[in-house]
């Protein structure tokens, strides 16, 4: 029970107790007063009759005596008159009981004593008889009942008024405490970005100050942890001169890129002019140019997406370009090579633009390995140098991958319109043996052929059809929510956050399906989280209120931007196992990475775990769970 309800309940209880006490005291006092008045009236009536009946009793006029007694009984609250006289064999009795409208249970509670009085009828030196009078309590009960009704009515009205005022007053008094409690609750999902406003309530001022201080300390602790992770990452994955990634970094991002269902291309750049600068001006001049190239490449964004870049050797750089059509990709390459040529050109006033940079480009295809991609890109680079071309692009060798984008687009649109989707699921297991959730993988059905995600998702991303795909998946889940077992995870595309309309449509869908939302884990890639931080933050906050959970997939690709975790506060993050099993990655760095995620209460899940040895390595550095071939993908079964 909430503090508000407890406070109101205590106040209502006290008011009720107070009202019952007032009612009992008032009724008791009135009862005593009525009883005393009844006894006094009976005594007076008996005395008056004893004097009035003397003449009639002396002469034996019993008719007149009876008439007098009946007149008295009819005019007073008398239940019984009994006259005993010397001249009569039997007493003269007059019964005149009244009728009461008071409930019997009330008469039992406030029972009045039977008032009676007896007086002798004096005839000089001897008594002529006696008169006995017994009161009738019907009128007294009616009087008490009327008083009780009025008292209850006034007490009830007063209680209602007081309760209303108490409720308003308690709400007013508890308002600062409720705001403090609500803000602290929000901090669990929203973090400590903004301090609590100071409270004007003296008792809460200290609590507010303590919470703000605690939040500041936690933010500082997380920032220090993130700085340590970045520092360790630089030691293992950053080239000291260009400030770009080194070969270890390229190995990791290539593995993650090739394991994700995305498109794109790998380019290797060779800058012959760097060797000439070294011969003419020395290594300091060359390193200065390399730093300028690194600064440029680290800031390049293609189609609003960052460029993954690394330095391979003294004269070679590697780039992972986003998915694009041929025209757009060649435009990007021309722009990048021109800018690099400008940076290494010793004579900026030259009338002709010298071409110092060559590139070999390989388009990603199904089944490509890291070694194969690097070998084919290097071969294309050698061919470009031999032919004296700016770049050479190697096309896909896979026949299935040669299907045109427009043809794929028609297949995808037809499958989405007709809801020709099927699903597989892979469990995510915690070290305790529990299942965090099952991640869903969507398939498109074309006749008897079932297309995996890596085949069509690059086309979906290229034509910005991701929001439609996400909606189709969520609608399918809503139709089968009663048949789903446990929690399921859905990886959302960037298109669901690309515009305000698509973001609102997604949040509206979740609010309209609270039953399903409470069993969903919503994942976004780190790239999406960084590009659409505000929208993703709103989604995660809504998910938290609905009982869903937010997660970040492909985590730790951009370690310089780890501060976003403090804003999103995801329930879990997923890191590729290739990040954990490389020999050149220091164990302290991996533990610091897990600790940084734990600072925001996020579980660390390692994906693509293929053996018990890798699983042991994952547990040693502090990760919380794993996902991979130890718990393979299987068709989604409905109950």
């Amino acid at each position: 029970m909430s503090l508000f309800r407890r406070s109101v309940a205590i106040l209502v209880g006290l008011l009720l107790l107070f009202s019952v006490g007032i009612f009992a005291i008032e009724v008791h006092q009135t009862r005593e007063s009525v009883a005393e008045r009844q006894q006094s009236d009976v005594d007076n009536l008996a005395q008056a009759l004893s004097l009035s009946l003397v003449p009639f009793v002396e002469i034996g006029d019993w008719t007149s005596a009876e008439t007098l007694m009946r007149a008295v009984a009819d005019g007073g609250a008398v239940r019984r008159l009994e006259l005993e006289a010397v001249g009569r064999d039997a007493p003269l009795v007059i019964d005149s009981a009244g009728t009461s409208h008071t409930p019997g249970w009330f008469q039992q509670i406030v029972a009045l004593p039977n008032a009676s009085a007896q007086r002798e009828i004096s005839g000089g030196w001897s008594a002529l008889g006696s008169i006995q009078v017994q009161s009738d309590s019907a009128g007294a009960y009616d009087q008490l009942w009327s008083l009780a009704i009025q008292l209850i009515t006034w007490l009830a009205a007063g209680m209602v008024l007081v309760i209303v005022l108490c409720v308003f007053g308690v709400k007013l008094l508890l308002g600062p405490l409720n705001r403090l409690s609500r803000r602290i609750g929000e901090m669990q999902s929203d973090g400590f970005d903004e301090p609590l406003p100071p409270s004007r309530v003296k008792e809460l001022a200290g609590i507010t100050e303590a919470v703000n201080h605690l939040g500041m300390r936690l933010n500082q602790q997380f920032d220090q942890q993130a700085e340590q992770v970045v520092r360790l990452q630089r030691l293992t994955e950053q080239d000291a001169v260009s400030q770009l990634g080194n070969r270890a970094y390229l190995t990791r991002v290539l593995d993650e890129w090739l394991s994700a269902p995305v498109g794109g291309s790998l380019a290797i750049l060779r800058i012959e002019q760097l060797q000439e600068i070294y011969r003419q001006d020395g290594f300091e001049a060359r390193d200065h140019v390399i730093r300028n190239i690194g600064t440029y490449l680290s800031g390049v964004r293609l189609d609003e997406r960052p460029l993954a870049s690394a330095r391979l050797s003294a004269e070679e750089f590697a780039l992972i370009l986003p998915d694009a059509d041929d025209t757009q990709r060649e435009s990007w390459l021309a722009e990048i090579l021109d800018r690099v040529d400008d940076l290494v050109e010793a004579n900026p006033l030259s009338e002709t633009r010298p071409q110092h940079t060559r590139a070999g480009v390989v388009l990603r295809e199904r089944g490509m390995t890291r070694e194969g991609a690097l070998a084919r890109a290097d071969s294309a680079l050698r061919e470009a140098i031999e032919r004296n071309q700016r770049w050479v692009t190697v096309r896909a060798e896979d026949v299935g991958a040669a299907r045109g984008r427009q043809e794929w687009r028609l297949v995808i649109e037809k499958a989405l319109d007709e809801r020709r989707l099927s699903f597989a699921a892979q469990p995510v297991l915690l070290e305790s043996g529990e299942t965090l959730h099952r991640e869903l993988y969507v398939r498109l059905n074309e006749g008897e052929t079932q297309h995996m995600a890596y085949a069509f998702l690059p086309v979906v991303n290229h034509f910005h059809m991701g929001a439609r795909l996400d909606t189709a998946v969520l609608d399918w889940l809503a139709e089968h929510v009663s048949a789903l077992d446990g929690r399921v995870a859905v990886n959302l595309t960037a298109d669901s956050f690309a515009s305000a309309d698509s973001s609102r449509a997604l949040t509206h869908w979740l609010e309209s399906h609270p039953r399903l939302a409470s069993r969903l884990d919503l994942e976004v890639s780190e790239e999406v989280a960084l590009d659409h931080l505000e929208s993703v933050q709103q989604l995660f906050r809504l998910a938290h209120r609905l009982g869903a959970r937010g997660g970040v997939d492909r985590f730790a690709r951009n370690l310089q931007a780890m501060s976003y975790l403090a804003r999103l506060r995801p329930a879990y993050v997923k890191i590729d196992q290739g990040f954990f099993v490389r020999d050149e990655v220091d164990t302290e760095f991996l533990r610091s990475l897990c600790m940084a995620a734990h600072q925001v209460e996020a579980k660390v899940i390692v994906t693509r775990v293929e053996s018990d040895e890798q699983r042991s390595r994952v547990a040693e550095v502090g990760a919380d769970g794993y996902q991979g071939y130890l718990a393979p993908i299987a068709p989604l079964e409905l109950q």
Side-chain angles (χ1 to χ4, degrees):
M1 182 182 292
S2 65
L3 179 60
F4 170 75
R5 292 184 177 181
R6 290 184 180 183
S7 301
V8 173
I10 292 175
L11 290 174
V12 170
L14 292 175
L15 286 173
L16 185 61
L17 182 63
F18 182 72
S19 299
V20 170
I22 292 178
F23 178 83
I25 293 173
E26 186 67 23
V27 171
H28 176 73
Q29 289 181 346
T30 305
R31 172 184 172 278
E32 294 297 324
S33 175
V34 169
E36 291 178 1
R37 188 169 64 251
Q38 271 190 324
Q39 186 63 48
S40 176
D41 292 343
V42 167
D43 289 340
N44 293 335
L45 183 60
Q47 182 65 29
L49 283 175
S50 66
L51 297 175
S52 300
L53 288 173
V54 171
F56 304 116
V57 173
E58 286 180 340
I59 63 176
D61 188 355
W62 308 116
T63 300
S64 299
E66 181 178 0
T67 301
L68 177 61
M69 292 172 62
R70 288 189 180 279
V72 171
D74 292 339
V78 177
R79 181 171 62 85
R80 182 184 179 88
L81 294 175
E82 183 176 342
L83 174 63
E84 292 184 355
V86 176
R88 285 184 62 87
D89 296 333
L92 178 58
V93 178
I94 303 296
D95 290 320
S96 180
T99 302
S100 175
H101 301 288
T102 302
W105 60 267
F106 184 78
Q107 296 185 22
Q108 293 178 358
I109 294 176
V110 295
L112 291 170
N114 293 321
S116 61
Q118 185 174 357
R119 295 290 187 272
E120 290 184 352
I121 301 175
S122 176
W125 296 102
S126 62
L128 300 177
S130 64
I131 181 69
Q132 183 178 9
V133 180
Q134 295 181 5
S135 67
D136 185 10
S137 300
Y141 280 124
D142 289 343
Q143 182 181 356
L144 286 175
W145 176 246
S146 177
L147 173 66
I149 293 297
Q150 294 178 8
L151 192 58
I152 289 175
T153 300
W154 281 105
L155 288 176
M159 280 189 62
V160 170
L161 178 61
V162 172
I163 289 174
V164 171
L165 294 176
C166 287
V167 168
F168 179 78
V170 170
K171 280 188 175 181
L172 186 63
L173 291 175
L174 295 181
L177 182 60
N178 290 333
R179 289 191 294 271
L180 178 62
S181 175
R182 185 168 55 253
R183 184 69 181 97
I184 293 176
E186 291 174 353
M187 284 181 172
Q188 296 179 358
S189 58
D190 301 342
F192 297 88
D193 295 336
E194 298 180 0
L196 295 173
S199 176
R200 291 179 295 178
V201 180
K202 181 179 180 181
E203 289 77 3
L204 299 181
I207 298 177
T208 303
E209 183 178 354
V211 170
N212 287 335
H213 182 68
L214 176 62
M216 182 183 65
R217 292 290 301 273
L218 290 176
N219 281 336
Q220 291 176 350
Q221 186 176 1
F222 176 79
D223 292 340
Q224 293 171 358
Q225 190 70 42
E227 289 176 1
Q228 181 182 8
V229 172
V230 172
R231 177 178 58 82
L232 294 173
Q233 185 261 354
R234 288 173 178 169
L235 294 176
T236 58
E237 292 191 341
Q238 191 175 66
D239 176 66
V241 179
S242 66
Q243 303 298 306
L244 299 176
N246 55 18
R247 280 188 173 271
Y249 169 79
L250 181 63
T251 299
R252 174 171 68 86
V253 296
L254 272 177
D255 287 341
E256 294 173 350
W257 175 56
L258 293 173
S259 65
V262 295
S265 57
L266 169 65
I268 297 181
L269 279 60
R270 182 173 179 83
I271 311 170
E272 298 287 353
Q273 185 66 13
L274 291 175
Q275 186 65 25
E276 184 65 24
I277 294 175
Y278 172 70
R279 285 196 298 266
Q280 294 180 0
D281 303 321
F283 72 91
E284 291 186 358
R286 184 199 62 182
D287 289 351
H288 176 72
V289 174
I290 290 175
R291 279 193 291 271
N292 291 337
I293 295 173
T295 301
Y296 165 67
L297 292 179
S298 62
V300 172
R301 294 184 68 85
L302 304 177
D303 196 20
E304 299 303 322
R305 286 172 287 181
L307 180 71
S309 55
R311 184 187 180 197
L312 299 182
S313 65
E315 302 170 2
E316 291 185 352
F317 295 81
L319 311 176
I320 298 179
L321 305 178
D323 184 52
D325 56 32
D326 293 343
T327 302
Q328 190 177 28
R329 182 179 58 258
E330 292 180 0
S331 174
W332 289 345
L333 282 171
E335 180 182 352
I336 292 173
L337 297 184
D338 287 344
R339 180 56 179 154
V340 172
D341 285 342
D342 291 340
L343 292 173
V344 300
E345 173 55 38
N347 183 15
L349 300 179
S350 176
E351 295 181 359
T352 60
R353 177 189 293 275
Q355 296 180 352
H356 301 297
T357 309
R358 310 294 179 187
V361 183
V362 58
L363 304 183
R364 175 176 170 169
E365 61 182 80
R366 185 183 311 172
M368 177 179 285
T369 63
R370 168 169 39 92
E371 293 80 5
L374 289 171
R376 294 177 65 188
D378 185 69
S379 177
L381 174 62
R382 302 307 167 193
E383 184 178 351
I385 294 173
E386 291 174 1
R387 294 184 179 182
N388 195 26
Q389 295 179 354
R390 300 203 73 185
W391 69 82
V392 170
T393 301
V394 180
R395 300 292 172 178
E397 296 178 352
D398 185 11
V399 177
R403 193 174 197 175
R405 279 197 174 99
Q406 292 297 336
E407 185 179 353
W408 266 116
R409 181 177 186 176
L410 295 177
V411 172
I412 296 171
E413 287 182 343
K414 184 176 182 181
L416 294 179
D417 291 339
E418 299 177 1
R419 290 293 190 268
R420 297 169 64 179
L421 307 176
S422 57
F423 295 88
Q426 184 177 41
V428 173
L429 303 177
L430 301 177
E431 285 299 319
S432 62
E434 300 178 4
T435 300
L436 178 67
H437 60 229
R438 291 183 300 163
E439 183 174 358
L440 295 186
Y441 298 94
V442 63
R443 309 282 191 257
L444 291 187
N445 300 323
E446 182 185 10
E448 299 297 327
T449 304
Q450 189 177 82
H451 298 293
M452 302 297 180
Y454 61 77
F456 63 84
L457 271 184
V459 182
V460 169
N461 295 329
H462 179 78
F463 289 107
H464 302 291
M465 302 167 64
R468 285 187 61 192
L469 177 62
D470 291 342
T471 302
V473 171
L474 292 174
D475 287 342
W476 186 92
L477 289 174
E479 294 173 1
H480 300 84
V481 60
S482 58
L484 293 175
D485 181 23
R487 301 187 70 91
V488 293
V490 177
N491 207 313
L492 301 174
T493 64
D495 294 330
S496 291
F497 306 94
S499 66
D501 291 339
S502 59
S503 182
R504 281 195 298 267
L506 179 59
T507 56
H508 177 71
W509 190 97
L510 291 173
E511 292 172 342
S512 303
H513 298 80
R515 182 184 176 191
L516 175 59
S518 63
R519 299 170 60 184
L520 276 181
D521 287 350
L522 303 172
E523 293 182 13
V524 297
S525 67
E526 184 176 69
E527 181 181 352
V528 173
L530 291 174
D531 290 342
H532 309 284
L533 186 57
E534 292 293 336
S535 298
V536 174
Q537 183 181 25
Q538 293 177 7
L539 176 69
F540 279 16
R541 290 181 178 180
L542 174 63
H544 180 75
R545 293 194 296 270
L546 296 177
R549 296 185 299 206
V552 176
D553 194 15
R554 301 164 69 188
F555 173 66
R557 284 196 168 193
N558 190 344
L559 294 177
Q560 288 83 355
M562 282 192 63
S563 58
Y564 78 93
L565 278 184
R567 292 187 59 183
L568 294 186
R569 306 189 71 82
Y572 61 91
V573 296
K574 290 184 176 180
I575 309 177
D576 191 273
Q577 62 87 21
F579 197 90
F580 279 75
V581 299
R582 301 203 316 273
D583 294 335
E584 64 269 18
V585 177
D586 188 81
T587 300
E588 181 185 357
F589 169 53
L590 297 177
R591 288 177 177 168
S592 297
L593 185 62
C594 293
M595 289 175 61
H598 291 158
Q599 286 287 334
V600 294
E601 301 181 355
K603 297 184 182 299
V604 179
I605 307 299
V606 182
T607 62
R608 294 199 308 123
V609 174
E610 303 175 359
S611 64
D612 289 329
E613 182 181 356
Q614 292 178 356
R615 176 185 172 186
S616 300
R617 169 72 164 158
V618 166
E620 288 175 2
V621 298
D624 303 287
Y626 62 92
Q627 178 182 10
Y629 296 114
L630 293 178
I633 299 174
L636 180 63
E637 296 182 358
L638 301 177
Q639 293 182 340

